């Protein structure tokens, strides 16, 4: 079984399970045999992956704000999770300019609240905190950022993710120090990914949802920053890294506790224009137009991750080319109106797993 069958019958709490990445993680964990509990706000739209996949019927589904410490504590006390994946956040750069205070509250104090619950919990053994590649102090240089590089952030969103990382490191040093693991028995990691794409994302101001909305409306895709360069990866790529890392934490926690990058290969670091062009190869009736403006809010034009640590220590690497990632994404949007969406996601997980098996990725075979 995949991931050494580690998640079977485990109690897993996902914060942010109604979101894009959270919904895919919930489906994958359920297929791995986990008992999944979710804590999150309502989904963004009625077309979100969480809604269409009917996940409210497949797991324990709890509505709550990550800033509500009392309610979050009650969830930990009632369900006694063994593993926590923390994804609940305000995830958009442009929205952070409109709501900076709320962004910092969600992304920084939300992380504090989760770790406080973990600190008081007797059941939790593993925590995977999910942030973003934007947590780094981005100099827009051509080489990738390593886990040891400085945190930073030009905009409120990026700065909030850098702050979240500092919070995690402070809790690791103060309460979950690997040198004292035998006494506290908790392994905490923080993980960062690149620009994640995939089916079921309808968020505002993200290029894939923007493309699909325009294609469905038969209008030209409006592209704000066509020449910005990003590392693109399908949502299942980093999720496989998070799941594999979580599975390894009980084997040798002192080796794995800390920070990890899970990004794509260098050939997936391409411009927004190239991504849109590849999407239109899958939807040939569409078109796009450049609507960039010198007055639009600042967004980084170049950002890359160095994933050597994950490659050499975890034997994790991406399984699909950027073309395959985009095709899998487009296939979801082509098929979601005609198929059972849970089964569609399951089919895509199986397709992704087959690619990983072909590449002999570590998580696809048991010890």
């Amino acid at each position: 079984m995949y991931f050494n069958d580690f998640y079977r019958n485990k109690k897993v709490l996902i914060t942010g399970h109604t979101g894009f990445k959270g919904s895919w993680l919930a489906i994958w964990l359920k297929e791995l045999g986990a008992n999944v509990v979710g804590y999150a706000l309502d989904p963004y739209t009625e077309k979100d992956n969480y809604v269409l996949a009917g996940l409210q019927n497949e797991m324990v589904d709890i509505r709550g704000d990550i800033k509500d410490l009392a309610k979050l504590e009650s969830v930990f006390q009632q369900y006694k999770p063994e593993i926590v994946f923390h994804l609940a956040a305000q995830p958009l750069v442009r929205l952070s300019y409109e709501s900076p205070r709320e962004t910092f509250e969600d992304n920084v104090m939300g992380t504090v609240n989760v770790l406080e619950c973990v600190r008081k919990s007797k059941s939790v053994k593993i925590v995977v905190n999910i942030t973003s590649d934007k947590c780094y102090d981005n100099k827009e240089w051509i080489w990738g950022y390593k886990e040891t590089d400085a945190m930073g952030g030009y905009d409120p969103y990026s700065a909030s993710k850098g702050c979240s990382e500092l919070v995690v490191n402070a809790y690791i040093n103060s309460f979950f120090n690997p040198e004292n693991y035998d006494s506290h028995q908790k392994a905490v990691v923080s993980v960062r990914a690149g620009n994640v794409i995939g089916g079921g994302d309808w968020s505002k101001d993200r290029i894939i949802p923007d493309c699909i909305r325009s294609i469905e409306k038969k209008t030209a895709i409006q592209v704000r920053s066509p020449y910005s360069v990003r590392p693109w990866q399908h949502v299942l790529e980093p999720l496989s890294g998070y799941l594999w890392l979580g599975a390894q934490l009980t084997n040798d926690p002192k080796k794995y506790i800390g920070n990890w990058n899970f990004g794509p290969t260098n050939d997936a670091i391409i411009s927004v224009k190239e991504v849109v062009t590849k999407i239109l190869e899958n939807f040939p009736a569409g078109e796009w137009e450049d609507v960039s403006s010198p007055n639009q809010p600042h967004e980084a034009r170049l950002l890359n991750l160095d994933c050597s640590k994950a490659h050499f220590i975890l034997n994790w690497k991406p399984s699909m080319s950027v073309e395959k990632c985009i095709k899998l994404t487009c296939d979801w949007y082509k098929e979601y109106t005609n198929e059972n969406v849970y089964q569609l996601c399951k089919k895509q997980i199986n397709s992704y797993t087959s690619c990983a098996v072909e590449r002999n990725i570590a998580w696809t075979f048991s010890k």
Side-chain angles (χ1 to χ4, degrees):
M1 295 294 293
Y2 304 125
F3 305 106
N4 288 334
D5 207 21
F6 174 76
Y7 292 96
R8 185 169 302 280
N9 298 322
K10 294 290 197 308
K11 295 179 181 178
V12 182
L13 172 65
I14 303 174
T15 70
H17 69 290
T18 60
F20 166 51
K21 289 176 74 173
S23 66
W24 279 96
L25 179 60
I27 293 170
W28 204 346
L29 279 166
K30 180 171 173 55
E31 291 303 308
L32 291 169
N35 300 313
V36 184
V37 177
Y39 181 90
L41 298 175
D42 290 334
Y44 182 66
T45 77
E46 290 303 310
K47 295 170 70 176
D48 279 15
N49 191 47
Y50 168 84
V51 178
L52 296 182
L55 273 175
Q56 71 275 10
N57 302 317
E58 303 290 340
M59 58 186 291
V60 177
D61 175 31
I62 302 168
R63 290 290 180 273
D65 193 319
I66 200 67
K67 299 188 294 294
D68 186 343
L69 179 58
K71 185 168 186 178
L72 188 61
E73 284 180 328
S74 71
V75 171
F76 274 78
Q77 292 165 2
Q78 179 177 354
Y79 293 98
K80 296 178 173 55
E82 302 163 77
I83 303 165
V84 177
F85 288 92
H86 173 44
L87 293 90
Q90 192 296 91
L92 301 173
V93 172
R94 288 171 69 88
L95 181 58
S96 76
Y97 284 105
E98 300 172 15
S99 304
R101 183 172 181 270
E102 291 82 355
T103 298
F104 280 104
E105 287 180 336
D106 286 344
N107 297 353
V108 182
M109 289 310 301
T111 302
V112 171
N113 287 346
V114 169
L115 292 176
E116 272 296 284
C117 292
V118 169
R119 185 172 68 87
K120 298 175 183 178
S121 169
K122 294 182 179 179
S123 63
V124 176
K125 302 301 179 186
I126 292 170
V127 181
V128 181
N129 177 63
I130 289 89
T131 62
S132 167
D133 58 350
K134 296 176 180 64
C135 67
Y136 290 105
D137 184 14
N138 187 11
K139 307 296 186 182
E140 303 207 18
W141 53 41
I142 59 173
W143 51 87
Y145 290 90
K146 297 180 179 180
E147 288 85 351
T148 52
D149 284 327
M151 298 293 97
Y154 180 101
D155 55 86
Y157 169 77
S158 302
S160 73
K161 288 301 186 179
C163 289
S164 175
E165 293 282 0
L166 295 177
V167 166
V168 172
N169 284 339
Y171 269 79
I172 290 175
N173 291 332
S174 303
F175 309 111
F176 315 129
N177 196 299
E179 297 304 318
N180 303 321
Y181 177 80
D182 291 341
S183 61
H184 59 70
Q185 294 285 301
K186 297 183 191 297
V188 179
V189 295
S190 197
V191 296
R192 304 134 185 186
N195 274 37
V196 176
I197 63 174
D201 184 8
W202 297 98
S203 299
K204 184 181 178 182
D205 293 330
R206 282 185 181 160
I207 190 60
I208 302 297
D210 287 349
C211 287
I212 301 302
R213 278 189 287 262
S214 295
I215 289 167
E216 291 188 342
K217 293 177 181 177
K218 299 182 179 180
T219 60
I221 301 165
Q222 297 190 336
V223 182
R224 298 188 313 272
S225 304
Y227 301 104
S228 292
V229 176
R230 297 284 189 274
W232 305 91
Q233 56 192 144
H234 191 273
V235 61
L236 297 175
E237 296 274 36
L239 290 185
S240 71
Y242 306 165
L243 289 166
W244 184 227
L245 177 59
Q248 295 300 299
L249 282 169
T250 55
N251 295 332
D252 190 350
K254 293 182 180 180
K255 179 178 179 180
Y256 296 105
I257 288 172
N259 308 314
W260 297 80
N261 290 337
F262 293 96
T265 55
N266 288 340
D267 61 0
I269 304 170
I270 60 177
S271 69
V272 173
K273 177 183 176 181
E274 290 174 276
V275 170
V276 174
T277 301
K278 292 179 185 297
I279 290 171
L280 292 178
E281 291 173 359
N282 290 272
F283 293 94
E287 59 181 358
W288 72 278
E289 60 183 7
D290 185 345
V291 295
S292 55
S293 166
N295 298 319
Q296 66 190 24
H298 174 273
E299 294 184 76
R301 295 180 62 85
L302 179 62
L303 181 58
N304 185 22
L305 293 175
D306 183 324
C307 303
S308 301
K309 181 180 177 182
H311 294 176
F312 291 107
I313 298 178
L314 281 174
N315 191 21
W316 176 91
K317 59 178 77 74
S319 300
M320 301 190 299
S321 66
V322 67
E323 289 79 14
K324 176 67 174 176
C325 292
I326 291 172
K327 184 180 185 307
L328 201 63
T329 299
C330 292
D331 286 347
W332 190 99
Y333 288 105
K334 286 179 178 180
E335 298 170 16
Y336 80 95
T337 57
N338 300 316
E339 289 197 29
N340 177 294
V341 171
Y342 187 96
Q343 294 302 318
L344 173 59
C345 293
K346 182 179 175 180
K347 180 176 71 174
Q348 294 206 334
I349 290 171
N350 290 338
S351 174
Y352 172 73
T353 299
S354 295
C355 293
V357 168
E358 290 175 4
R359 296 206 64 197
N360 201 33
I361 308 299
W363 59 265
T364 63
F365 51 89
S366 298
K367 292 182 179 179

